[in-house]
Amino acid sequence: MSNYFVDIKNMSFYRGDRAIYDDISIQIPRGKITVIMGPSGTGKTTLLRLIGGQLKPDSGDIFLDGKNVPLLNRKDLYAVRKKIGMLFQSGALFTDINVFDNVAFPLREHTDFSESIIRDIVLMKLQSVGLRGAAQLMPSELSGGMARRAALARAFALDPELVMYDEPFAGQDPISMGVVVSLIKRLNQSVGMTSVLVSHDVAESLSIADYAYILSEGQVVAKGTPEEIKKSTDERVVQFLGGLPDGPVPFHFDAPDYQQHMNMYPNKKGALV
Amino acid sequence: MTFVQNIGAITLDWLISVGRSGLFIVQSILHKPKSLRVATQLFIKQLYSVGVLSLVIIMVSGLFIGMVLALQGYTILVKFGSEQAVGQLLALTLLRELSPVVAALLFAGRACSALTAEIGLMKATEQLSSLEMMGVDPYRRIIAPRFLAGLVCLPILSLVFSTVGVLGGEFVAVDWLGIHGGSFWSLMQQSVYFSTDVVNGVIKAFCFAIATTWIAVYQGYECEPTSEGISRATTRTVVLGSLSILALDFILTAAMFGDF
Amino acid sequence: MKSKQLELFVGLFIVLGFASLAYLAIQVSGLGSIGKGDVYQIQARFEDIGGLTERAKVSVSGVTIGEVESIVLDKELYMALVTLNINTDMAVIPVDSAAAILTNGLLGEKYIGISIGAEEEYLKNGDEITDTQSALVLETLISQFLFESTSGDDE
Ligand SMILES: Nc1ncnc2c1ncn2[C@@H]1O[C@H](COP(=O)(O)OP(=O)(O)O)[C@@H](O)[C@H]1O
Ligand SMILES: [Mg+2]
């Protein structure tokens, strides 16, 4: 069995004519926390969807636990997804059921546990994200950060082999941020889950990462352990880690030259074009 | 591009979407439910929101349409001295045409639009995605119970519509306009045949249910996941649903009652 | 909403559907209204039944006593053979009674009216009414009228 739980080989993915990924290769080692960083809009969420088989690459292979995801049929794809837990950027809680039932959902779908066992598991998971008291609340009654933590509890309710976190730190106050960071680390160590964490929060991400990738414009610009990344002298990495606006990593979405753009309609100053 | 090419492209697009939606619905209902208990629960929940919640509008409309039919029928028939036949007019019009068609149109507006909006919003808020990622097939979990509930509910609603309509018509004709109750019912019973009129009405309602619910769940599932996308999809559900009801009604009527 | 309550409503909904079906079957289409058990059958042959249909009513003095069970063509006499179901409590129709196909109002339903005869013997199950009068067909009447009025001029 390969050392890599997820192995992406020479994968390209296009949105229209725009290459989101251009011949990229990424390895996610088994039982480790791998962090994928990059400016927003580079396609981090897209990468997670590609791994989960919701999007199909235009070329290349994505092996998940030895299976080539893009080639799986519907049935096998759903079977393989039972090994995955995913925290969506928006949380994506089911709005018609309360927090408790949301966390219980994967358990009821995929296990034959009795209701009392499910109850214990759910309360345990909610306790670990600090929301045991909110079990009976509806998702609409939660703040953004709380919703994301509830979704986090749901993502690892089944103790999946792979958990993918899409921006787990966004919208958390410093205290719950600390809780989430240590939770991800603890889950990884105690159960041996493989974790993929997508984020643009450099400090937190690097603090728990075993391995890190930095992506920009469809390419891997740096990879390695956090120490290696931090020591990198690549100016794109330096710019990203330091949060500097000027540098080779574009802050702007592809656009024509600014000066020229503003002068396109000289009579209407500031017209939206 | 020439005009002909345009037509060709549009036809091709249309055929593709018909094919997609066909596969979509077939894949959705050809699932073996994982657990019969859970599947039943989901189904009952949808029967409630699709059927029970549509009941009031169906009953009120049925009552008024029955009363109006009786009133209109009376004013015409009384000129020929055959106002007793109002019962027969009422029952046949309701059973063969108005109940299935009007109930289906109301159903498209009340229940199907809600289905599209609900599924569309689930898509926009990534709930469908998160189901998929959990290894739970949204076809089985979301689409199938809603579609099947639609198929069951509309025939029931159409039957209720007829019944309430006949009662409303009887109230106007017999209690108000003073037509003799005995001839009202006996003329009605003479001309209404269970095997053709009632059963054909139910068959019509069932066909309308397939069309409208199919359109509703497909539009919801395939909508663009934005506010405008959902609103456009909801509009399309009501417009396409209503048009297909009327077109289907013509075809079914010709097949059932036409003497060619 | 509690799931028990939800199930209750759905149950009521389905029962309402079946109740409607039963109502439409029994009260509106009259399935099983004239008791099938308590009837006897008599027959009558007509030259022309006009628009008479099965389940049309059979009446004496305007009171319904039964309904038309079936209409078939008698292949030997080329006449319509109509079978009537008459309620058994009306088993007092004299054998020389006459059956006529009448119309309810100008454009109304066709029905069979029976004019009571004078004999003391009554029709029994399977008997036939021999004295029949066909439906008045409007077109025939009009053409007869036209033919008679024009034939005088021509010859
Ligand atoms: N449904 C879509 N259709 C077209 N382009 C999309 C769609 N979703 C995302 N994109 C584009 O793909 C790029 C990557 O998006 P995403 O993966 O969400 O970025 P990230 O998660 O890194 O912020 C963005 O530039 C966005 O414009
Ligand atoms: Mg993202």
Side-chain angles (χ1 to χ4, degrees):
Chain A
M1 198 185 275
S2 151
N3 266 338
Y4 300 125
F5 197 86
V6 179
D7 194 352
I8 299 174
K9 290 182 174 160
N10 306 102
M11 186 267 289
S12 299
F13 178 75
Y14 292 84
R15 289 272 192 204
D17 288 338
R18 197 156 62 96
I20 305 290
Y21 289 108
D22 187 10
D23 196 23
I24 200 172
S25 294
I26 292 177
Q27 286 81 37
I28 313 282
R30 211 175 269 278
K32 297 274 169 33
I33 300 177
T34 306
V35 169
I36 296 178
M37 291 180 291
S40 71
T42 25
K44 302 184 295 295
T45 302
T46 308
L47 183 68
L48 298 186
R49 288 189 189 281
L50 283 161
I51 294 173
Q54 287 191 316
L55 296 172
K56 289 218 185 312
D58 291 286
S59 66
D61 298 317
I62 299 171
F63 291 98
L64 193 139
D65 203 16
K67 300 212 172 54
N68 197 347
V69 175
L71 301 183
L72 292 178
N73 64 26
R74 203 175 162 84
K75 187 156 158 276
D76 294 340
L77 186 59
Y78 276 97
V80 100
R81 280 177 183 160
K82 289 176 193 167
K83 297 179 185 172
I84 310 178
M86 174 157 171
L87 169 68
F88 278 77
Q89 202 163 354
S90 62
L93 292 172
F94 302 127
T95 47
D96 57 336
I97 51 181
N98 65 21
V99 170
F100 181 94
D101 290 331
N102 261 287
V103 180
F105 189 91
L107 295 163
R108 289 180 178 145
E109 274 295 323
H110 293 318
T111 70
D112 296 323
F113 295 160
S114 71
E115 272 304 306
S116 71
I117 295 181
I118 288 180
R119 183 171 171 276
D120 290 348
I121 298 177
V122 170
L123 291 181
M124 208 170 76
K125 304 286 174 188
L126 282 175
Q127 173 73 11
S128 65
V129 294
L131 288 177
R132 190 166 46 86
Q136 297 307 319
L137 293 183
M138 295 302 281
S140 58
E141 297 167 314
L142 302 180
S143 74
M146 286 162 82
R148 201 171 307 224
R149 276 186 283 150
L152 185 59
R154 186 179 70 177
F156 63 78
L158 274 175
D159 294 324
E161 293 176 48
L162 169 71
V163 189
M164 304 197 282
Y165 307 91
D166 196 352
E167 315 271 4
F169 309 128
Q172 303 293 348
D173 60 80
I175 300 171
S176 43
M177 174 99 92
V179 170
V180 171
V181 167
S182 66
L183 179 67
I184 292 174
K185 202 160 186 73
R186 208 173 61 234
L187 279 171
N188 175 256
Q189 282 163 355
S190 60
V191 202
M193 286 177 185
T194 307
S195 311
V196 183
L197 197 153
V198 150
S199 178
H200 45 232
D201 289 293
V202 176
E204 285 75 19
S205 304
L206 289 183
S207 75
I208 56 170
D210 293 313
Y211 211 73
Y213 282 85
I214 297 179
L215 305 180
S216 175
E217 298 191 296
Q219 300 288 343
V220 175
V221 296
K223 60 177 179 178
T225 61
E227 289 69 35
E228 286 164 359
I229 297 264
K230 278 176 198 160
K231 274 189 245 143
S232 167
T233 50
D234 186 309
E235 52 182 351
R236 292 172 299 185
V237 178
V238 173
Q239 186 206 348
F240 185 74
L241 296 186
L244 311 169
D246 292 317
V249 178
F251 158 69
H252 295 286
F253 199 89
D254 274 348
D257 181 71
Y258 189 41
Q259 194 69 42
Q260 210 186 338
H261 206 175
M262 294 305 278
N263 288 332
M264 271 181 189
Y265 297 94
N267 296 334
K268 292 193 223 159
K269 285 225 170 72
L272 273 173
V273 287
Chain B
M1 227 191 323
T2 68
F3 180 68
V4 177
Q5 276 175 319
N6 256 320
I7 301 268
I10 291 171
T11 316
L12 209 62
D13 276 359
W14 183 78
L15 278 176
I16 288 172
S17 66
V18 169
R20 271 171 74 92
S21 62
L23 281 177
F24 164 76
I25 212 70
V26 166
Q27 284 183 336
S28 299
I29 54 178
L30 286 191
H31 266 112
K32 208 168 91 227
K34 256 175 56 93
S35 134
L36 207 61
R37 193 181 55 84
V38 175
T40 316
Q41 271 175 1
L42 289 172
F43 182 57
I44 288 180
K45 199 168 169 198
Q46 291 310 316
L47 284 181
Y48 180 81
S49 55
V50 171
V52 176
L53 293 183
S54 306
L55 205 51
V56 172
I57 183 173
I58 290 287
M59 290 177 82
V60 173
S61 317
L63 186 72
F64 280 111
I65 287 195
M67 298 198 320
V68 168
L69 268 181
L71 211 53
Q72 290 280 18
Y74 179 83
T75 53
I76 294 169
L77 290 172
V78 78
K79 292 184 188 150
F80 303 104
S82 15
E83 65 270 21
Q84 285 86 355
V86 75
Q88 141 188 9
L89 174 113
L90 176 76
L92 287 182
T93 332
L94 279 175
L95 289 173
R96 290 181 174 182
E97 279 301 324
L98 285 184
S99 298
V101 172
V102 177
L105 291 174
L106 292 170
F107 185 77
R110 164 68 184 77
C112 291
S113 59
L115 282 183
T116 304
E118 187 193 16
I119 297 171
L121 207 58
M122 280 184 179
K123 185 177 186 183
T125 54
E126 295 189 311
Q127 294 182 50
L128 294 183
S129 283
S130 81
L131 274 176
E132 284 181 10
M133 279 301 208
M134 275 180 211
V136 177
D137 191 342
Y139 283 9
R140 171 171 66 74
R141 179 87 199 182
I142 305 292
I143 305 299
R146 285 169 174 74
F147 181 68
L148 295 176
L151 299 197
V152 171
C153 287
L154 186 49
I156 293 181
L157 292 171
S158 166
L159 286 171
V160 172
F161 191 100
S162 297
T163 304
V164 175
V166 168
L167 289 172
E170 188 216 2
F171 170 73
V172 168
V174 178
D175 298 339
W176 188 27
L177 298 172
I179 291 174
H180 179 240
S183 26
F184 177 87
W185 288 117
S186 75
L187 276 175
M188 185 191 289
Q189 291 174 358
Q190 254 173 49
S191 52
V192 174
Y193 287 84
F194 183 78
S195 56
T196 52
D197 301 322
V198 179
V199 171
N200 277 346
V202 173
I203 293 174
K204 271 188 177 183
F206 185 71
C207 294
F208 298 159
I210 294 178
T212 51
T213 323
W214 179 1
I215 290 173
V217 290
Y218 181 69
Q219 289 294 345
Y221 195 78
E222 288 289 319
C223 82
E224 194 190 317
T226 60
S227 343
E228 301 86 23
I230 294 170
S231 100
R232 271 200 302 271
T234 311
T235 309
R236 267 203 302 273
T237 291
V238 176
V239 172
L240 290 180
S242 308
L243 289 181
S244 57
I245 288 166
L246 297 173
L248 262 181
D249 184 46
F250 177 73
I251 297 169
L252 290 171
T253 305
M256 287 168 172
F257 302 107
D259 277 332
F260 328 116
Chain C
M1 177 168 311
K2 284 257 176 10
S3 83
K4 276 273 173 306
Q5 198 181 346
L6 193 123
E7 284 164 15
L8 177 72
F9 277 118
V10 171
L12 283 175
F13 176 67
I14 291 171
V15 168
L16 188 67
F18 278 107
S20 297
L21 188 65
Y23 180 81
L24 294 176
I26 293 164
Q27 177 72 355
V28 175
S29 32
L31 271 193
S33 64
I34 293 170
K36 287 270 189 279
D38 285 7
V39 296
Y40 68 104
Q41 294 191 328
I42 58 177
Q43 294 181 325
R45 287 189 170 79
F46 293 92
E47 289 281 355
D48 190 343
I49 54 163
L52 189 75
T53 57
E54 289 178 7
R55 309 236 322 276
K57 68 178 178 180
V58 178
S59 69
V60 174
S61 313
V63 179
T64 304
I65 60 162
E67 63 171 9
V68 174
E69 161 77 12
S70 69
I71 301 172
V72 292
L73 186 67
D74 181 334
K75 292 199 186 67
E76 280 159 24
L77 298 172
Y78 294 103
M79 288 173 85
L81 175 61
V82 179
T83 307
L84 313 176
N85 282 341
I86 310 290
N87 297 352
T88 31
D89 52 352
M90 274 302 301
V92 288
I93 304 173
V95 287
D96 61 341
S97 299
I101 297 179
L102 305 171
T103 308
N104 195 354
L106 185 57
L107 299 169
E109 284 283 322
K110 294 277 191 286
Y111 67 99
I112 292 184
I114 295 179
S115 331
I116 298 298
E119 289 279 343
E120 297 203 347
E121 198 182 330
Y122 299 133
L123 287 168
K124 301 184 299 296
N125 194 24
D127 285 352
E128 182 174 343
I129 297 185
T130 45
D131 184 359
T132 62
Q133 183 192 331
S134 291
L136 283 182
V137 178
L138 219 51
E139 296 93 312
T140 325
L141 277 183
I142 292 170
S143 65
Q144 253 173 24
F145 171 73
L146 286 178
F147 180 71
E148 275 163 19
S149 56
T150 53
S151 61
D153 296 347
D154 283 354
E155 280 156 62

